[in-house]
Amino acid sequence: MAMILDAVVGRVLDELLSTVIAMKDRAVKFRATLENLHSILKKVEPMAREIDGLNKRLDKPATETQKLIDEMEKGKELVIECSKVDWWNCCYKASSQEKLQDLIDSITLYFQLDMQGNINVIVLENQMLLHQIHEKLVENVPRRIAGLCSPPEPPAFTVGLDVHLRALKFKLLNNHHVGSVLTVTGTGGSGKSTLAKKFCSDEEVKGEFKDNIFFISLAEVPKLSTIVERLFEHNGYEKPQFQSDEGAVDRLENLLKQIGKNPILLVLDGVLPESASLVEKFVFQIPNYKILVTSRFTIKGFGQPYVLKSLNEADALNLFRHHASLDQTSFKIPDTIVKKIAKGCSGSPLALIVTGKSLSLEEPVVWHNRARTLSRGQSVLSYSSNSDGLLTCLQKSFDDLDAKLAESFMDLSLFPEAQKIPAAALVDIYAEQRDEDDDIAMENIHDLVKRNVADLVVTRNTTSGTVDYNYHYVTQHGLLRDLAIHQTRNLPTEKKHRLIIDLRGNNIPKWWTTQNEYHIAAHSLSISTDEEFTSEWCNLQPNEVKVLVMNLREKKRSLPPFMKKMNKLKVLTITNYDVNRAELENLELLDYLSDLKRIRLEKVSIPFLSKTGVPLKNLHKFSFFMCNVNEAFKNSTIKVSDVLPNLKEMNIDYCDMEELPAGLSDTVSLKKLSITNCHKLSKLPTGIGKLVNLESLRLTSCTKLEELPDSITSLHKLNFLDISDCVSLRMLPENIGELGSLERLNCRGCNRLSELPYSVKDLESLRVVVCDEERAALWEPIRSMFSDLKLEVVLTDFKLDPLL
């Protein structure tokens, strides 16, 4: 028996083949059958040897081939027996002939069917093994922001830049000086950044520098250490710690030398006067290292700049016509009017684009009025050293906004320049200022985009079928932000309804004092700080403030004491733009904000939800984005239901939360609960079934969540459930059919969900199931049980979200 278990296919087949060759001439009565067996064995012999070789290399036992081995062992004995059959023994001859044919059939069948089946099994096993390896690699690879310093794509349509592109290539690619710097200057909106992006996307440039093209916006990240940290992370290194700027510069030089096998191109885009001194810190004596700088201002010390001048008349007219969609309108706009408006923009690409888009598909009378207005004033670039010259042109786009949109537009200036503004933050502001629903507030954003005074960027497509603003961001050109600020620039500070205080760099305004009371009339207050702001908070009297936006760039910040006096505050938004989470202190001030309705915290760490337990009775929306909240949730001795008794919506996205805060399940007023991208959350509390008014539950990308508690079936008002990309989720609750109000279910990317409970047939309100192809195969057989069920099949996206 041991000999059979140790046998391999090739050896046994050789023995059988040798026996057949030796016996076929002796067993005359079976010669034809043995010749056939001999022929088959010769054909399968190479495959048998290959099986042996693979099993040996993979160190696999011959378990899958044991049946064949046993058959061939018996076959060898059968062939020997056939050689001994006497000519007169007809009965035994017939029996042996039948056994030989069975042997032939068995060997043939194995190599035709059994072997193919084994191959299929092995392929599936290998696929599973690769999947497990992939999961292990993903689990162990640190999550970084991919492409953090990659150059953005240039606009699809540009004019007049080819000649500038050729000039830049000649100046940079043919300059062999070590550490050469080329500065591109021009008025605001002249296309400097667009030219830099176009340069980076040029095939010749990419062929020269390959993966060593780094694009940094100094308007967006003016802090040296932050820039260096991002360059390290972009190149796949852990974020280093710096004791000083000098240390950061030294580490950066070493990094560039390490990756400098190919030439290096560093683009510093949008350098402001206060950031000009940073450029010199990036200059190193490294061969084939080039720096391209764009700025509205000439930066001294780097030679003659390349000046980006206005577009010529033909290019300006071409750009204007394109963005005005003149080839798509049914109206005939006279060429004289088109040329007059284009001429009024004085060749400024931004002015041409904004003005053209604002007139797109408009009535002829609007065109005539715009031409007449522009012809009365001076050229928009009459004062090329003063950006207000361009604002004169952009002002026309602002004047076309109605009062409501004008206010929405100016609210964009509450956020820092060159930063993506979360649409969710704007929705909070708009909704409370005008007492609107969130969906109506979102329409304001879309209207601003349609009027081309803002742009909307969607970082991740969602197919959930419900409104989700978490991946929508509003962007705005710096000049348009200046336009928004310009509207109230001439008003005294104490009379402005929208007050923007920029304290970065310890830049204290003249009226800022800590002793005297300072009364303001502002309804919206924006405060920007960084680590250089070390002064005490002033004695501000913000009695009328309803919206407070705090923009941080530091590791720790104490909330201003004057928040106690904000008796009318309805919206609080605190956003940290630094790489690290900012520790918030003095949070107990929230206890004084009795009228507060919405709080949104981004990239901060909070030590607690409440110290005193004073309820915020009017708060109905609380949002955390990329926050450290785990300790606050775990260590809290005060229940959420006591502090936030009337909470209607809670959003927790990209946070370190391991479990829901205590008492959340008792907050029966809650209607919307969104817990997304919380990769440490492994379970939901059984008490979640007490949220009897919950209508929407979103659990997207909670990758460690293995199951939903059975109590979830008590949520009889739940009409939307999103469990997409919960890759560890193995099953749905057995009685999920009790969710009688459920209309939409998103289970896309639930890779381990391999079966559905029988009770899903009882989901009588279910209308839409969003899923991938594998999950669609689970739903398809029972689809006929529903009167009107739609399956939306989408591909699973394995890419990590860029926000991670």
Side-chain angles (χ1 to χ4, degrees):
M1 184 66 178
M3 180 186 69
I4 295 177
L5 289 176
D6 291 338
V8 291
V9 176
R11 181 176 62 79
V12 176
L13 188 144
D14 283 343
E15 293 176 357
L16 175 59
L17 184 59
S18 300
T19 303
V20 170
I21 293 172
M23 299 297 175
K24 66 179 181 178
D25 291 330
R26 294 172 57 184
V28 179
K29 302 175 180 58
F30 303 94
R31 180 175 296 171
T33 305
L34 291 175
E35 287 284 359
N36 188 21
L37 177 59
H38 176 261
S39 175
I40 291 173
L41 291 176
K42 292 295 289 183
K43 287 180 180 179
V44 301
E45 183 183 18
M47 287 185 282
R49 298 192 184 282
E50 187 172 355
I51 291 173
D52 284 344
L54 289 174
N55 282 339
K56 184 176 181 180
R57 287 167 61 188
L58 296 175
D59 196 23
K60 291 185 61 176
T63 52
E64 291 93 350
T65 57
Q66 192 60 52
K67 179 180 177 181
L68 176 65
I69 292 171
D70 293 341
E71 290 289 333
M72 289 191 295
E73 289 280 1
K74 295 177 182 177
K76 183 176 66 174
E77 298 174 2
L78 176 63
V79 171
I80 294 173
E81 289 178 5
C82 289
S83 66
K84 300 177 181 179
V85 176
D86 295 324
W87 63 268
W88 49 264
N89 195 341
C90 297
C91 293
Y92 199 88
K93 174 187 175 184
S95 175
S96 298
Q97 180 70 34
E98 184 177 348
K99 290 179 181 179
L100 280 175
Q101 189 59 48
D102 288 343
L103 175 62
I104 293 173
D105 292 342
S106 177
I107 295 173
T108 303
L109 183 64
Y110 175 84
F111 282 97
Q112 286 182 345
L113 295 180
D114 291 7
M115 185 175 178
Q116 184 61 47
N118 287 336
I119 291 173
N120 292 339
V121 171
I122 292 170
V123 168
L124 291 175
E125 288 177 346
N126 288 341
Q127 289 177 344
M128 178 60 69
L129 180 61
L130 287 173
H131 180 71
Q132 292 172 348
I133 294 173
H134 175 266
E135 287 187 332
K136 196 68 178 176
L137 288 173
V138 170
E139 180 181 335
N140 293 330
V141 171
R143 295 174 181 263
R144 298 189 179 97
I145 306 177
L148 193 58
C149 300
S150 298
E153 289 294 325
F157 184 84
T158 60
V159 297
L161 292 180
D162 289 342
V163 62
H164 301 301
L165 180 61
R166 288 194 295 271
L168 289 192
K169 287 164 64 175
F170 178 80
K171 288 178 175 290
L172 265 181
L173 299 185
N174 295 316
N175 188 340
H176 300 295
H177 289 92
V178 176
S180 59
V181 179
L182 177 61
T183 302
V184 178
T185 64
T187 57
S190 59
K192 302 179 296 296
S193 295
T194 301
L195 177 60
K197 296 170 187 175
K198 196 172 180 68
F199 181 83
C200 293
S201 66
D202 180 82
E203 290 302 324
E204 184 179 355
V205 173
K206 290 194 293 186
E208 174 73 12
F209 299 100
K210 298 182 173 56
D211 292 333
N212 284 349
I213 301 178
F214 311 121
F215 195 101
I216 302 292
S217 172
L218 287 191
E220 178 182 349
V221 188
K223 194 174 177 182
L224 176 64
S225 60
T226 301
I227 296 171
V228 177
E229 286 173 350
R230 292 192 175 188
L231 284 168
F232 266 84
E233 288 190 292
H234 174 89
N235 285 284
Y237 295 93
E238 293 294 332
K239 182 173 60 179
Q241 298 295 323
F242 309 119
Q243 301 300 321
S244 64
D245 281 354
E246 289 73 19
V249 171
D250 292 339
R251 293 292 298 275
L252 175 60
E253 183 177 9
N254 291 333
L255 171 66
L256 294 178
K257 288 179 178 179
Q258 187 172 345
I259 64 176
K261 294 180 181 179
N262 293 319
I264 301 172
L265 173 64
L266 176 64
V267 179
L268 302 177
D269 182 53
V271 178
L272 300 174
E274 54 267 32
S275 304
S277 60
L278 285 179
V279 177
E280 189 173 357
K281 297 183 182 298
F282 290 93
V283 179
F284 304 106
Q285 299 303 305
I286 299 176
N288 299 318
Y289 171 49
K290 317 285 185 182
I291 301 177
L292 177 63
V293 178
T294 72
S295 177
R296 298 183 193 177
F297 309 89
T298 299
I299 302 176
K300 297 179 180 179
F302 298 107
Q304 190 70 22
Y306 183 86
V307 181
L308 197 59
K309 297 186 179 296
S310 319
L311 294 175
N312 60 43
E313 183 178 354
D315 286 335
L317 198 58
N318 189 11
L319 184 64
F320 178 76
R321 284 182 172 276
H322 174 80
H323 288 284
S325 306
L326 284 175
D327 58 340
Q328 300 178 25
T329 180
S330 58
F331 303 118
K332 177 61 178 176
I333 309 298
D335 286 341
T336 55
I337 296 297
V338 175
K339 290 180 179 179
K340 189 177 292 186
I341 296 176
K343 184 178 180 180
C345 296
S346 298
S348 167
L350 177 61
L352 288 161
I353 292 170
V354 172
T355 305
K357 287 184 175 181
S358 69
L359 290 169
S360 177
L361 308 179
E362 288 286 1
E363 298 282 341
V365 64
V366 179
W367 283 78
H368 284 273
N369 290 338
R370 180 68 59 84
R372 185 167 53 253
T373 304
L374 284 176
S375 63
R376 292 174 182 172
Q378 294 178 316
S379 169
V380 293
L381 295 179
S382 294
Y383 306 98
S384 58
S385 61
N386 188 335
S387 61
D388 286 347
L390 184 54
L391 288 172
T392 302
C393 176
L394 299 179
Q395 181 69 39
K396 309 306 176 183
S397 298
F398 177 78
D399 291 342
D400 285 341
L401 303 177
D402 59 30
K404 179 180 176 181
L405 273 184
E407 289 295 318
S408 299
F409 170 72
M410 289 189 288
D411 280 334
L412 300 183
S413 63
L414 298 172
F415 297 85
E417 184 177 4
Q419 294 289 350
K420 292 186 296 185
I421 306 172
L426 289 172
V427 165
D428 287 345
I429 294 173
Y430 295 162
E432 292 304 329
Q433 282 180 334
R434 296 151 198 153
D435 195 21
E436 297 175 337
D437 291 337
D438 286 8
D439 292 348
I440 301 298
M442 189 64 192
E443 284 187 21
N444 291 331
I445 296 176
H446 287 296
D447 287 340
L448 290 174
V449 175
K450 291 177 183 176
R451 296 301 184 105
N452 303 296
V453 292
D455 291 307
L456 192 62
V457 177
V458 181
T459 60
R460 180 177 178 181
N461 292 321
T462 58
T463 55
S464 59
T466 62
V467 180
D468 180 14
Y469 315 126
N470 288 336
Y471 306 107
H472 291 64
Y473 295 86
V474 177
T475 61
Q476 188 180 40
H477 194 283
L479 285 170
L480 290 171
R481 183 177 184 274
D482 292 343
L483 174 65
I485 297 174
H486 180 72
Q487 307 309 311
T488 56
R489 181 174 294 165
N490 297 325
L491 291 175
T493 301
E494 64 273 12
K495 292 186 178 180
K496 292 179 180 177
H497 292 294
R498 189 176 287 97
L499 181 58
I500 300 171
I501 306 175
D502 190 349
L503 302 172
R504 292 176 299 175
N506 214 29
N507 182 27
I508 308 299
K510 294 180 180 179
W511 52 266
W512 187 279
T513 63
T514 56
Q515 293 81 23
N516 301 326
E517 290 185 356
Y518 194 85
H519 293 267
I520 59 173
H523 293 167
S524 299
L525 176 61
S526 170
I527 302 176
S528 298
T529 64
D530 61 10
E531 290 183 347
E532 294 183 39
F533 171 63
T534 56
S535 301
E536 295 182 16
W537 291 107
C538 74
N539 192 11
L540 202 65
Q541 301 296 311
N543 306 87
E544 301 299 321
V545 171
K546 297 180 180 179
V547 174
L548 175 60
V549 177
M550 294 191 66
N551 306 305
L552 315 179
R553 194 183 290 278
E554 49 201 324
K555 296 179 181 179
K556 184 180 294 187
R557 170 53 55 195
S558 179
L559 298 182
F562 54 70
M563 283 180 62
K564 285 184 180 181
K565 304 167 186 176
M566 294 183 176
N567 300 321
K568 298 181 180 180
L569 188 67
K570 295 181 181 295
V571 179
L572 173 61
T573 295
I574 303 177
T575 305
N576 175 38
Y577 295 94
D578 199 21
V579 173
N580 303 297
R581 306 294 191 270
E583 295 181 22
L584 284 188
E585 297 180 340
N586 217 14
L587 274 174
E588 54 268 23
L589 289 175
L590 298 180
D591 294 344
Y592 295 89
L593 306 177
S594 58
D595 210 29
L596 193 59
K597 291 188 175 181
R598 298 174 185 241
I599 300 177
R600 187 180 192 277
L601 305 179
E602 179 172 344
K603 218 171 184 183
V604 299
S605 295
I606 59 172
F608 53 82
L609 279 178
S610 175
K611 267 189 176 181
T612 63
V614 174
L616 295 174
K617 295 181 179 180
N618 288 312
L619 192 75
H620 61 76
K621 184 177 180 181
F622 210 146
S623 301
F624 302 90
F625 183 71
M626 296 183 74
C627 292
N628 289 345
V629 298
N630 192 52
E631 292 304 314
F633 285 1
K634 289 175 63 176
N635 299 332
S636 178
T637 58
I638 301 174
K639 291 185 176 181
V640 173
S641 55
D642 295 334
V643 181
L644 310 174
N646 298 309
L647 190 68
K648 295 181 180 179
E649 180 176 350
M650 176 170 275
N651 301 291
I652 306 173
D653 192 17
Y654 284 106
C655 294
D656 64 342
M657 178 183 66
E658 297 178 3
E659 58 186 43
L660 292 183
L664 182 64
S665 298
D666 296 319
T667 312
V668 295
S669 57
L670 203 62
K671 292 185 176 182
K672 293 182 179 179
L673 178 59
S674 178
I675 307 170
T676 55
N677 301 292
C678 293
H679 301 291
K680 294 184 178 181
L681 180 69
S682 59
K683 64 178 181 179
L684 298 177
T686 56
I688 198 171
K690 294 187 287 185
L691 299 176
V692 293
N693 291 303
L694 197 66
E695 299 173 358
S696 173
L697 177 59
R698 193 186 301 273
L699 301 168
T700 308
S701 296
C702 292
T703 54
K704 285 192 175 181
L705 187 64
E706 296 184 355
E707 63 180 3
L708 302 177
D710 292 336
S711 61
I712 201 174
T713 59
S714 300
L715 305 177
H716 298 304
K717 292 186 179 181
L718 191 70
N719 58 58
F720 172 68
L721 175 61
D722 186 351
I723 53 174
S724 59
D725 295 321
C726 290
V727 295
S728 298
L729 192 68
R730 298 178 180 275
M731 63 183 70
L732 297 177
E734 191 64 33
N735 295 323
I736 195 172
E738 295 178 10
L739 295 176
S741 299
L742 189 65
E743 298 176 3
R744 296 187 65 92
L745 171 65
N746 188 343
C747 56
R748 175 184 63 87
C750 294
N751 298 335
R752 297 188 180 180
L753 186 62
S754 58
E755 60 180 353
L756 300 175
Y758 183 72
S759 68
V760 295
K761 65 181 180 58
D762 298 325
L763 295 171
E764 55 187 25
S765 299
L766 191 63
R767 294 293 176 266
V768 177
V769 174
V770 181
C771 55
D772 51 54
E773 293 181 351
E774 288 79 5
R775 260 42 64 186
L778 302 179
W779 285 95
E780 196 63 48
I782 61 173
R783 190 174 180 179
S784 59
M785 297 182 180
F786 299 87
S787 59
D788 186 24
L789 179 62
K790 179 181 178 182
L791 295 183
E792 294 183 5
V793 181
V794 294
L795 295 177
T796 301
D797 186 4
F798 290 105
K799 294 181 179 179
L800 294 179
D801 196 277
L803 290 175
L804 279 174

PDB file of all heavy atoms in Angstrom, residues 139 678-683 701-707 725-729:
ATOM      1  N   GLU A 139      -3.040  45.271   3.136  1.00  0.00           N
ATOM      2  CA  GLU A 139      -3.134  45.474   4.587  1.00  0.00           C
ATOM      3  C   GLU A 139      -1.826  46.011   5.160  1.00  0.00           C
ATOM      4  O   GLU A 139      -1.828  46.835   6.079  1.00  0.00           O
ATOM      5  CB  GLU A 139      -3.497  44.150   5.255  1.00  0.00           C
ATOM      6  CG  GLU A 139      -3.618  44.232   6.770  1.00  0.00           C
ATOM      7  CD  GLU A 139      -3.966  42.884   7.371  1.00  0.00           C
ATOM      8  OE1 GLU A 139      -4.555  42.060   6.651  1.00  0.00           O
ATOM      9  OE2 GLU A 139      -3.636  42.652   8.534  1.00  0.00           O
ATOM     10  N   CYS A 678     -14.016  54.385   7.660  1.00  0.00           N
ATOM     11  CA  CYS A 678     -13.508  54.184   9.026  1.00  0.00           C
ATOM     12  C   CYS A 678     -12.980  52.754   9.098  1.00  0.00           C
ATOM     13  O   CYS A 678     -13.711  51.810   9.410  1.00  0.00           O
ATOM     14  CB  CYS A 678     -14.610  54.429  10.058  1.00  0.00           C
ATOM     15  SG  CYS A 678     -15.147  56.164  10.126  1.00  0.00           S
ATOM     16  N   HIS A 679     -11.694  52.590   8.810  1.00  0.00           N
ATOM     17  CA  HIS A 679     -11.120  51.263   8.593  1.00  0.00           C
ATOM     18  C   HIS A 679     -10.827  50.509   9.883  1.00  0.00           C
ATOM     19  O   HIS A 679     -10.361  49.370   9.828  1.00  0.00           O
ATOM     20  CB  HIS A 679      -9.851  51.401   7.753  1.00  0.00           C
ATOM     21  CG  HIS A 679     -10.090  52.046   6.422  1.00  0.00           C
ATOM     22  ND1 HIS A 679     -10.806  51.428   5.417  1.00  0.00           N
ATOM     23  CD2 HIS A 679      -9.736  53.268   5.932  1.00  0.00           C
ATOM     24  CE1 HIS A 679     -10.863  52.229   4.372  1.00  0.00           C
ATOM     25  NE2 HIS A 679     -10.234  53.350   4.654  1.00  0.00           N
ATOM     26  N   LYS A 680     -11.055  51.128  11.034  1.00  0.00           N
ATOM     27  CA  LYS A 680     -10.844  50.437  12.307  1.00  0.00           C
ATOM     28  C   LYS A 680     -12.162  49.962  12.926  1.00  0.00           C
ATOM     29  O   LYS A 680     -12.144  49.234  13.922  1.00  0.00           O
ATOM     30  CB  LYS A 680     -10.117  51.359  13.291  1.00  0.00           C
ATOM     31  CG  LYS A 680      -8.695  51.709  12.876  1.00  0.00           C
ATOM     32  CD  LYS A 680      -7.993  52.539  13.937  1.00  0.00           C
ATOM     33  CE  LYS A 680      -6.559  52.845  13.545  1.00  0.00           C
ATOM     34  NZ  LYS A 680      -5.846  53.632  14.583  1.00  0.00           N
ATOM     35  N   LEU A 681     -13.271  50.357  12.366  1.00  0.00           N
ATOM     36  CA  LEU A 681     -14.571  49.965  12.905  1.00  0.00           C
ATOM     37  C   LEU A 681     -14.876  48.525  12.504  1.00  0.00           C
ATOM     38  O   LEU A 681     -14.965  48.199  11.322  1.00  0.00           O
ATOM     39  CB  LEU A 681     -15.658  50.902  12.374  1.00  0.00           C
ATOM     40  CG  LEU A 681     -17.081  50.621  12.861  1.00  0.00           C
ATOM     41  CD1 LEU A 681     -17.203  50.945  14.343  1.00  0.00           C
ATOM     42  CD2 LEU A 681     -18.095  51.417  12.059  1.00  0.00           C
ATOM     43  N   SER A 682     -15.038  47.640  13.502  1.00  0.00           N
ATOM     44  CA  SER A 682     -15.260  46.227  13.206  1.00  0.00           C
ATOM     45  C   SER A 682     -16.684  45.769  13.504  1.00  0.00           C
ATOM     46  O   SER A 682     -17.089  44.698  13.052  1.00  0.00           O
ATOM     47  CB  SER A 682     -14.269  45.365  14.000  1.00  0.00           C
ATOM     48  OG  SER A 682     -14.417  45.595  15.395  1.00  0.00           O
ATOM     49  N   LYS A 683     -17.424  46.555  14.272  1.00  0.00           N
ATOM     50  CA  LYS A 683     -18.802  46.148  14.576  1.00  0.00           C
ATOM     51  C   LYS A 683     -19.646  47.358  14.944  1.00  0.00           C
ATOM     52  O   LYS A 683     -19.138  48.410  15.332  1.00  0.00           O
ATOM     53  CB  LYS A 683     -18.818  45.127  15.713  1.00  0.00           C
ATOM     54  CG  LYS A 683     -18.307  45.667  17.041  1.00  0.00           C
ATOM     55  CD  LYS A 683     -18.392  44.599  18.136  1.00  0.00           C
ATOM     56  CE  LYS A 683     -17.889  45.156  19.474  1.00  0.00           C
ATOM     57  NZ  LYS A 683     -17.988  44.147  20.552  1.00  0.00           N
ATOM     58  N   SER A 701     -17.120  51.568   2.755  1.00  0.00           N
ATOM     59  CA  SER A 701     -15.682  51.337   2.938  1.00  0.00           C
ATOM     60  C   SER A 701     -15.264  51.194   4.396  1.00  0.00           C
ATOM     61  O   SER A 701     -14.162  51.595   4.756  1.00  0.00           O
ATOM     62  CB  SER A 701     -14.872  52.462   2.264  1.00  0.00           C
ATOM     63  OG  SER A 701     -15.078  52.457   0.878  1.00  0.00           O
ATOM     64  N   CYS A 702     -16.116  50.640   5.221  1.00  0.00           N
ATOM     65  CA  CYS A 702     -15.695  50.233   6.567  1.00  0.00           C
ATOM     66  C   CYS A 702     -15.143  48.817   6.416  1.00  0.00           C
ATOM     67  O   CYS A 702     -15.862  47.818   6.566  1.00  0.00           O
ATOM     68  CB  CYS A 702     -16.865  50.303   7.541  1.00  0.00           C
ATOM     69  SG  CYS A 702     -17.422  51.988   7.884  1.00  0.00           S
ATOM     70  N   THR A 703     -13.865  48.731   6.109  1.00  0.00           N
ATOM     71  CA  THR A 703     -13.288  47.492   5.581  1.00  0.00           C
ATOM     72  C   THR A 703     -13.168  46.364   6.601  1.00  0.00           C
ATOM     73  O   THR A 703     -12.956  45.216   6.219  1.00  0.00           O
ATOM     74  CB  THR A 703     -11.901  47.791   4.983  1.00  0.00           C
ATOM     75  OG1 THR A 703     -11.096  48.458   5.977  1.00  0.00           O
ATOM     76  CG2 THR A 703     -12.015  48.688   3.770  1.00  0.00           C
ATOM     77  N   LYS A 704     -13.272  46.670   7.895  1.00  0.00           N
ATOM     78  CA  LYS A 704     -13.179  45.618   8.916  1.00  0.00           C
ATOM     79  C   LYS A 704     -14.549  45.196   9.456  1.00  0.00           C
ATOM     80  O   LYS A 704     -14.626  44.303  10.296  1.00  0.00           O
ATOM     81  CB  LYS A 704     -12.293  46.074  10.073  1.00  0.00           C
ATOM     82  CG  LYS A 704     -10.805  46.067   9.751  1.00  0.00           C
ATOM     83  CD  LYS A 704      -9.955  46.250  10.995  1.00  0.00           C
ATOM     84  CE  LYS A 704      -8.479  46.130  10.674  1.00  0.00           C
ATOM     85  NZ  LYS A 704      -7.636  46.288  11.888  1.00  0.00           N
ATOM     86  N   LEU A 705     -15.581  45.819   8.978  1.00  0.00           N
ATOM     87  CA  LEU A 705     -16.929  45.498   9.446  1.00  0.00           C
ATOM     88  C   LEU A 705     -17.337  44.133   8.897  1.00  0.00           C
ATOM     89  O   LEU A 705     -17.445  43.943   7.688  1.00  0.00           O
ATOM     90  CB  LEU A 705     -17.910  46.578   8.990  1.00  0.00           C
ATOM     91  CG  LEU A 705     -19.340  46.492   9.541  1.00  0.00           C
ATOM     92  CD1 LEU A 705     -19.338  46.682  11.052  1.00  0.00           C
ATOM     93  CD2 LEU A 705     -20.225  47.527   8.874  1.00  0.00           C
ATOM     94  N   GLU A 706     -17.568  43.164   9.790  1.00  0.00           N
ATOM     95  CA  GLU A 706     -17.812  41.782   9.367  1.00  0.00           C
ATOM     96  C   GLU A 706     -19.291  41.423   9.303  1.00  0.00           C
ATOM     97  O   GLU A 706     -19.672  40.511   8.577  1.00  0.00           O
ATOM     98  CB  GLU A 706     -17.082  40.817  10.304  1.00  0.00           C
ATOM     99  CG  GLU A 706     -15.565  40.960  10.263  1.00  0.00           C
ATOM    100  CD  GLU A 706     -14.872  39.930  11.118  1.00  0.00           C
ATOM    101  OE1 GLU A 706     -15.580  39.171  11.826  1.00  0.00           O
ATOM    102  OE2 GLU A 706     -13.627  39.865  11.095  1.00  0.00           O
ATOM    103  N   GLU A 707     -20.120  42.117  10.078  1.00  0.00           N
ATOM    104  CA  GLU A 707     -21.540  41.788  10.067  1.00  0.00           C
ATOM    105  C   GLU A 707     -22.361  42.970  10.528  1.00  0.00           C
ATOM    106  O   GLU A 707     -21.852  43.907  11.152  1.00  0.00           O
ATOM    107  CB  GLU A 707     -21.814  40.577  10.962  1.00  0.00           C
ATOM    108  CG  GLU A 707     -21.483  40.811  12.427  1.00  0.00           C
ATOM    109  CD  GLU A 707     -21.766  39.599  13.287  1.00  0.00           C
ATOM    110  OE1 GLU A 707     -22.162  38.560  12.728  1.00  0.00           O
ATOM    111  OE2 GLU A 707     -21.613  39.690  14.515  1.00  0.00           O
ATOM    112  N   ASP A 725     -18.324  48.410  -0.586  1.00  0.00           N
ATOM    113  CA  ASP A 725     -16.895  48.268  -0.283  1.00  0.00           C
ATOM    114  C   ASP A 725     -16.626  47.868   1.164  1.00  0.00           C
ATOM    115  O   ASP A 725     -15.523  48.092   1.673  1.00  0.00           O
ATOM    116  CB  ASP A 725     -16.136  49.556  -0.618  1.00  0.00           C
ATOM    117  CG  ASP A 725     -16.149  49.846  -2.112  1.00  0.00           C
ATOM    118  OD1 ASP A 725     -16.028  48.885  -2.886  1.00  0.00           O
ATOM    119  OD2 ASP A 725     -16.300  51.015  -2.496  1.00  0.00           O
ATOM    120  N   CYS A 726     -17.598  47.283   1.824  1.00  0.00           N
ATOM    121  CA  CYS A 726     -17.351  46.646   3.126  1.00  0.00           C
ATOM    122  C   CYS A 726     -16.830  45.239   2.820  1.00  0.00           C
ATOM    123  O   CYS A 726     -17.588  44.256   2.812  1.00  0.00           O
ATOM    124  CB  CYS A 726     -18.628  46.605   3.972  1.00  0.00           C
ATOM    125  SG  CYS A 726     -19.160  48.231   4.564  1.00  0.00           S
ATOM    126  N   VAL A 727     -15.553  45.146   2.549  1.00  0.00           N
ATOM    127  CA  VAL A 727     -14.978  43.932   1.963  1.00  0.00           C
ATOM    128  C   VAL A 727     -14.944  42.751   2.929  1.00  0.00           C
ATOM    129  O   VAL A 727     -14.721  41.611   2.506  1.00  0.00           O
ATOM    130  CB  VAL A 727     -13.553  44.219   1.432  1.00  0.00           C
ATOM    131  CG1 VAL A 727     -13.595  45.199   0.287  1.00  0.00           C
ATOM    132  CG2 VAL A 727     -12.656  44.760   2.549  1.00  0.00           C
ATOM    133  N   SER A 728     -15.131  42.995   4.222  1.00  0.00           N
ATOM    134  CA  SER A 728     -15.110  41.895   5.195  1.00  0.00           C
ATOM    135  C   SER A 728     -16.511  41.405   5.550  1.00  0.00           C
ATOM    136  O   SER A 728     -16.646  40.412   6.270  1.00  0.00           O
ATOM    137  CB  SER A 728     -14.391  42.342   6.477  1.00  0.00           C
ATOM    138  OG  SER A 728     -13.056  42.684   6.225  1.00  0.00           O
ATOM    139  N   LEU A 729     -17.526  42.076   5.069  1.00  0.00           N
ATOM    140  CA  LEU A 729     -18.907  41.723   5.406  1.00  0.00           C
ATOM    141  C   LEU A 729     -19.274  40.394   4.755  1.00  0.00           C
ATOM    142  O   LEU A 729     -19.215  40.252   3.532  1.00  0.00           O
ATOM    143  CB  LEU A 729     -19.853  42.827   4.928  1.00  0.00           C
ATOM    144  CG  LEU A 729     -21.288  42.761   5.453  1.00  0.00           C
ATOM    145  CD1 LEU A 729     -21.319  43.030   6.946  1.00  0.00           C
ATOM    146  CD2 LEU A 729     -22.162  43.765   4.726  1.00  0.00           C
TER     147      LEU A 729
END
